[in-house]
Amino acid sequence: MRTLTRSLATLLLLLPLAGCGGGDDEGDSGDAGGAGGGELTVLAAASLTDVYEGLAEQFEEENDATVTFSFGSSTDLAEQAADGAPGDLLATADETSMQVAEDAEVTGEVTTFATNVMVIVTPPDNPAGIESLNDLQGATWVRCADEVPCGRVALGVLEGDGVTAEPASLEEDVRATLDKVISGEADAGLVYASDAVAAGDDVATVEIPGAEEQLTSYYITTLAQSEDPDLAQAWVDLVTSEAGRQALTDAGFSLP
């Protein structure tokens, strides 16, 4: 019995040492992979989809982080942020939407980082022969709803040209408007220049004379509910960096 007891005692003494050795190895491995490993949630206007997803690849590699996006209407996203919805950053397609979040005191420093201009898009063969806003009369065309940024800009452009043609439908955001044209459900749609660039050969683009007088500006801010403010600021820094500005220009945006 004494031999068995000594053997058990020896085993019990050795187990903690083995555990410590394994723990060090795992700890070293964990530290190597855990220097970053952050998670970032970005609430952003639908028109930023392509350029932001492109920038995310660089950001994730440089910061050892994972970026998750919630794209949609700036108005809806700003209201969600104002209500305390989880998120680290908010990027809107106009000042009115950003003001909703500012009024709720959930924003950090607000930065203007891009502008955009409205264009007409049609299917590639332009079957309705749309060459100007006046040609929308009698055509099946779509635009964003009045309460979202792309809708407000569209109204300004139409009123500026005295066009009273009624759209076939009002869409929830600019990407939904674009999709109606790409799918062939509409002869034309009013979208931002960057959306036309993103659609590539799926659409033809008709520029609107004087549309630059109705520029929309994009705003970005970190959010008070962010769980990683430093990582959130790193995203702002990337978007406003030379690389970010080049990506925006390539995507069809203008710079403020």
PDB file of all heavy atoms in Angstrom, residues 164-183:
ATOM      1  N   THR A 164     -41.675  66.695 -63.503  1.00  0.00           N
ATOM      2  CA  THR A 164     -42.775  66.276 -62.616  1.00  0.00           C
ATOM      3  C   THR A 164     -43.180  64.825 -62.840  1.00  0.00           C
ATOM      4  O   THR A 164     -44.184  64.367 -62.296  1.00  0.00           O
ATOM      5  CB  THR A 164     -43.994  67.184 -62.810  1.00  0.00           C
ATOM      6  OG1 THR A 164     -44.410  67.130 -64.187  1.00  0.00           O
ATOM      7  CG2 THR A 164     -43.668  68.626 -62.428  1.00  0.00           C
ATOM      8  N   ALA A 165     -42.434  64.091 -63.637  1.00  0.00           N
ATOM      9  CA  ALA A 165     -42.753  62.687 -63.903  1.00  0.00           C
ATOM     10  C   ALA A 165     -42.777  61.890 -62.608  1.00  0.00           C
ATOM     11  O   ALA A 165     -41.924  62.083 -61.731  1.00  0.00           O
ATOM     12  CB  ALA A 165     -41.724  62.084 -64.860  1.00  0.00           C
ATOM     13  N   GLU A 166     -43.748  60.996 -62.472  1.00  0.00           N
ATOM     14  CA  GLU A 166     -43.903  60.207 -61.254  1.00  0.00           C
ATOM     15  C   GLU A 166     -43.216  58.843 -61.406  1.00  0.00           C
ATOM     16  O   GLU A 166     -43.361  58.178 -62.425  1.00  0.00           O
ATOM     17  CB  GLU A 166     -45.384  59.989 -60.942  1.00  0.00           C
ATOM     18  CG  GLU A 166     -46.120  61.240 -60.509  1.00  0.00           C
ATOM     19  CD  GLU A 166     -45.609  61.782 -59.181  1.00  0.00           C
ATOM     20  OE1 GLU A 166     -45.213  60.957 -58.323  1.00  0.00           O
ATOM     21  OE2 GLU A 166     -45.591  62.999 -59.016  1.00  0.00           O
ATOM     22  N   PRO A 167     -42.466  58.430 -60.397  1.00  0.00           N
ATOM     23  CA  PRO A 167     -41.786  57.127 -60.476  1.00  0.00           C
ATOM     24  C   PRO A 167     -42.770  55.968 -60.329  1.00  0.00           C
ATOM     25  O   PRO A 167     -43.838  56.111 -59.733  1.00  0.00           O
ATOM     26  CB  PRO A 167     -40.820  57.171 -59.299  1.00  0.00           C
ATOM     27  CG  PRO A 167     -41.483  58.089 -58.309  1.00  0.00           C
ATOM     28  CD  PRO A 167     -42.169  59.128 -59.133  1.00  0.00           C
ATOM     29  N   ALA A 168     -42.383  54.824 -60.864  1.00  0.00           N
ATOM     30  CA  ALA A 168     -43.208  53.625 -60.731  1.00  0.00           C
ATOM     31  C   ALA A 168     -43.175  53.100 -59.310  1.00  0.00           C
ATOM     32  O   ALA A 168     -44.128  52.488 -58.831  1.00  0.00           O
ATOM     33  CB  ALA A 168     -42.730  52.555 -61.706  1.00  0.00           C
ATOM     34  N   SER A 169     -42.053  53.329 -58.615  1.00  0.00           N
ATOM     35  CA  SER A 169     -41.941  52.905 -57.215  1.00  0.00           C
ATOM     36  C   SER A 169     -40.879  53.725 -56.519  1.00  0.00           C
ATOM     37  O   SER A 169     -40.005  54.316 -57.152  1.00  0.00           O
ATOM     38  CB  SER A 169     -41.605  51.411 -57.112  1.00  0.00           C
ATOM     39  OG  SER A 169     -40.317  51.147 -57.651  1.00  0.00           O
ATOM     40  N   LEU A 170     -40.979  53.756 -55.201  1.00  0.00           N
ATOM     41  CA  LEU A 170     -40.002  54.436 -54.344  1.00  0.00           C
ATOM     42  C   LEU A 170     -39.289  53.366 -53.532  1.00  0.00           C
ATOM     43  O   LEU A 170     -39.938  52.598 -52.814  1.00  0.00           O
ATOM     44  CB  LEU A 170     -40.699  55.448 -53.429  1.00  0.00           C
ATOM     45  CG  LEU A 170     -41.463  56.569 -54.132  1.00  0.00           C
ATOM     46  CD1 LEU A 170     -42.233  57.412 -53.107  1.00  0.00           C
ATOM     47  CD2 LEU A 170     -40.506  57.454 -54.928  1.00  0.00           C
ATOM     48  N   GLU A 171     -37.958  53.328 -53.629  1.00  0.00           N
ATOM     49  CA  GLU A 171     -37.192  52.246 -53.024  1.00  0.00           C
ATOM     50  C   GLU A 171     -36.581  52.646 -51.686  1.00  0.00           C
ATOM     51  O   GLU A 171     -36.379  53.819 -51.405  1.00  0.00           O
ATOM     52  CB  GLU A 171     -36.092  51.794 -53.988  1.00  0.00           C
ATOM     53  CG  GLU A 171     -36.606  51.399 -55.369  1.00  0.00           C
ATOM     54  CD  GLU A 171     -37.628  50.276 -55.311  1.00  0.00           C
ATOM     55  OE1 GLU A 171     -37.443  49.350 -54.499  1.00  0.00           O
ATOM     56  OE2 GLU A 171     -38.624  50.332 -56.061  1.00  0.00           O
ATOM     57  N   GLU A 172     -36.231  51.633 -50.871  1.00  0.00           N
ATOM     58  CA  GLU A 172     -35.763  51.880 -49.513  1.00  0.00           C
ATOM     59  C   GLU A 172     -34.351  52.449 -49.455  1.00  0.00           C
ATOM     60  O   GLU A 172     -33.982  53.119 -48.500  1.00  0.00           O
ATOM     61  CB  GLU A 172     -35.830  50.611 -48.678  1.00  0.00           C
ATOM     62  CG  GLU A 172     -34.934  49.484 -49.185  1.00  0.00           C
ATOM     63  CD  GLU A 172     -35.034  48.240 -48.339  1.00  0.00           C
ATOM     64  OE1 GLU A 172     -35.755  48.282 -47.324  1.00  0.00           O
ATOM     65  OE2 GLU A 172     -34.395  47.228 -48.691  1.00  0.00           O
ATOM     66  N   ASP A 173     -33.540  52.153 -50.476  1.00  0.00           N
ATOM     67  CA  ASP A 173     -32.194  52.728 -50.534  1.00  0.00           C
ATOM     68  C   ASP A 173     -31.707  52.706 -51.975  1.00  0.00           C
ATOM     69  O   ASP A 173     -32.395  52.208 -52.877  1.00  0.00           O
ATOM     70  CB  ASP A 173     -31.214  52.013 -49.598  1.00  0.00           C
ATOM     71  CG  ASP A 173     -31.065  50.531 -49.895  1.00  0.00           C
ATOM     72  OD1 ASP A 173     -30.913  50.176 -51.078  1.00  0.00           O
ATOM     73  OD2 ASP A 173     -31.077  49.722 -48.948  1.00  0.00           O
ATOM     74  N   VAL A 174     -30.512  53.237 -52.194  1.00  0.00           N
ATOM     75  CA  VAL A 174     -30.036  53.410 -53.565  1.00  0.00           C
ATOM     76  C   VAL A 174     -29.706  52.074 -54.223  1.00  0.00           C
ATOM     77  O   VAL A 174     -29.862  51.922 -55.448  1.00  0.00           O
ATOM     78  CB  VAL A 174     -28.821  54.360 -53.573  1.00  0.00           C
ATOM     79  CG1 VAL A 174     -27.584  53.676 -53.008  1.00  0.00           C
ATOM     80  CG2 VAL A 174     -28.553  54.913 -54.967  1.00  0.00           C
ATOM     81  N   ARG A 175     -29.284  51.071 -53.467  1.00  0.00           N
ATOM     82  CA  ARG A 175     -28.980  49.779 -54.065  1.00  0.00           C
ATOM     83  C   ARG A 175     -30.257  49.052 -54.509  1.00  0.00           C
ATOM     84  O   ARG A 175     -30.257  48.321 -55.501  1.00  0.00           O
ATOM     85  CB  ARG A 175     -28.152  48.921 -53.103  1.00  0.00           C
ATOM     86  CG  ARG A 175     -26.681  49.367 -53.044  1.00  0.00           C
ATOM     87  CD  ARG A 175     -26.097  49.445 -54.453  1.00  0.00           C
ATOM     88  NE  ARG A 175     -24.808  50.054 -54.515  1.00  0.00           N
ATOM     89  CZ  ARG A 175     -23.661  49.396 -54.508  1.00  0.00           C
ATOM     90  NH1 ARG A 175     -23.648  48.084 -54.394  1.00  0.00           N
ATOM     91  NH2 ARG A 175     -22.524  50.047 -54.635  1.00  0.00           N
ATOM     92  N   ALA A 176     -31.334  49.244 -53.768  1.00  0.00           N
ATOM     93  CA  ALA A 176     -32.610  48.661 -54.192  1.00  0.00           C
ATOM     94  C   ALA A 176     -33.080  49.319 -55.492  1.00  0.00           C
ATOM     95  O   ALA A 176     -33.639  48.662 -56.371  1.00  0.00           O
ATOM     96  CB  ALA A 176     -33.658  48.853 -53.097  1.00  0.00           C
ATOM     97  N   THR A 177     -32.826  50.624 -55.623  1.00  0.00           N
ATOM     98  CA  THR A 177     -33.156  51.343 -56.853  1.00  0.00           C
ATOM     99  C   THR A 177     -32.341  50.802 -58.020  1.00  0.00           C
ATOM    100  O   THR A 177     -32.867  50.520 -59.105  1.00  0.00           O
ATOM    101  CB  THR A 177     -32.876  52.851 -56.681  1.00  0.00           C
ATOM    102  OG1 THR A 177     -33.624  53.349 -55.567  1.00  0.00           O
ATOM    103  CG2 THR A 177     -33.255  53.633 -57.928  1.00  0.00           C
ATOM    104  N   LEU A 178     -31.051  50.634 -57.800  1.00  0.00           N
ATOM    105  CA  LEU A 178     -30.159  50.106 -58.831  1.00  0.00           C
ATOM    106  C   LEU A 178     -30.589  48.706 -59.256  1.00  0.00           C
ATOM    107  O   LEU A 178     -30.596  48.374 -60.450  1.00  0.00           O
ATOM    108  CB  LEU A 178     -28.733  50.087 -58.299  1.00  0.00           C
ATOM    109  CG  LEU A 178     -27.635  49.611 -59.253  1.00  0.00           C
ATOM    110  CD1 LEU A 178     -27.444  50.602 -60.392  1.00  0.00           C
ATOM    111  CD2 LEU A 178     -26.319  49.423 -58.490  1.00  0.00           C
ATOM    112  N   ASP A 179     -30.952  47.876 -58.296  1.00  0.00           N
ATOM    113  CA  ASP A 179     -31.339  46.496 -58.586  1.00  0.00           C
ATOM    114  C   ASP A 179     -32.568  46.428 -59.486  1.00  0.00           C
ATOM    115  O   ASP A 179     -32.684  45.504 -60.310  1.00  0.00           O
ATOM    116  CB  ASP A 179     -31.595  45.723 -57.294  1.00  0.00           C
ATOM    117  CG  ASP A 179     -30.321  45.422 -56.529  1.00  0.00           C
ATOM    118  OD1 ASP A 179     -29.236  45.527 -57.128  1.00  0.00           O
ATOM    119  OD2 ASP A 179     -30.418  45.099 -55.324  1.00  0.00           O
ATOM    120  N   LYS A 180     -33.489  47.375 -59.324  1.00  0.00           N
ATOM    121  CA  LYS A 180     -34.690  47.383 -60.170  1.00  0.00           C
ATOM    122  C   LYS A 180     -34.315  47.583 -61.643  1.00  0.00           C
ATOM    123  O   LYS A 180     -34.950  47.024 -62.538  1.00  0.00           O
ATOM    124  CB  LYS A 180     -35.644  48.497 -59.717  1.00  0.00           C
ATOM    125  CG  LYS A 180     -36.491  48.156 -58.501  1.00  0.00           C
ATOM    126  CD  LYS A 180     -37.541  47.114 -58.841  1.00  0.00           C
ATOM    127  CE  LYS A 180     -38.419  46.753 -57.647  1.00  0.00           C
ATOM    128  NZ  LYS A 180     -39.384  47.803 -57.318  1.00  0.00           N
ATOM    129  N   VAL A 181     -33.299  48.380 -61.891  1.00  0.00           N
ATOM    130  CA  VAL A 181     -32.853  48.624 -63.266  1.00  0.00           C
ATOM    131  C   VAL A 181     -32.072  47.424 -63.789  1.00  0.00           C
ATOM    132  O   VAL A 181     -32.288  46.968 -64.916  1.00  0.00           O
ATOM    133  CB  VAL A 181     -31.992  49.904 -63.339  1.00  0.00           C
ATOM    134  CG1 VAL A 181     -31.485  50.130 -64.761  1.00  0.00           C
ATOM    135  CG2 VAL A 181     -32.794  51.114 -62.878  1.00  0.00           C
ATOM    136  N   ILE A 182     -31.170  46.898 -62.980  1.00  0.00           N
ATOM    137  CA  ILE A 182     -30.360  45.752 -63.407  1.00  0.00           C
ATOM    138  C   ILE A 182     -31.245  44.551 -63.723  1.00  0.00           C
ATOM    139  O   ILE A 182     -30.985  43.805 -64.688  1.00  0.00           O
ATOM    140  CB  ILE A 182     -29.329  45.388 -62.319  1.00  0.00           C
ATOM    141  CG1 ILE A 182     -28.280  46.498 -62.187  1.00  0.00           C
ATOM    142  CG2 ILE A 182     -28.652  44.063 -62.630  1.00  0.00           C
ATOM    143  CD1 ILE A 182     -27.288  46.284 -61.057  1.00  0.00           C
ATOM    144  N   SER A 183     -32.295  44.355 -62.948  1.00  0.00           N
ATOM    145  CA  SER A 183     -33.190  43.213 -63.153  1.00  0.00           C
ATOM    146  C   SER A 183     -34.127  43.403 -64.341  1.00  0.00           C
ATOM    147  O   SER A 183     -34.827  42.462 -64.739  1.00  0.00           O
ATOM    148  CB  SER A 183     -34.016  42.962 -61.887  1.00  0.00           C
ATOM    149  OG  SER A 183     -34.926  44.044 -61.671  1.00  0.00           O
TER     150      SER A 183
END
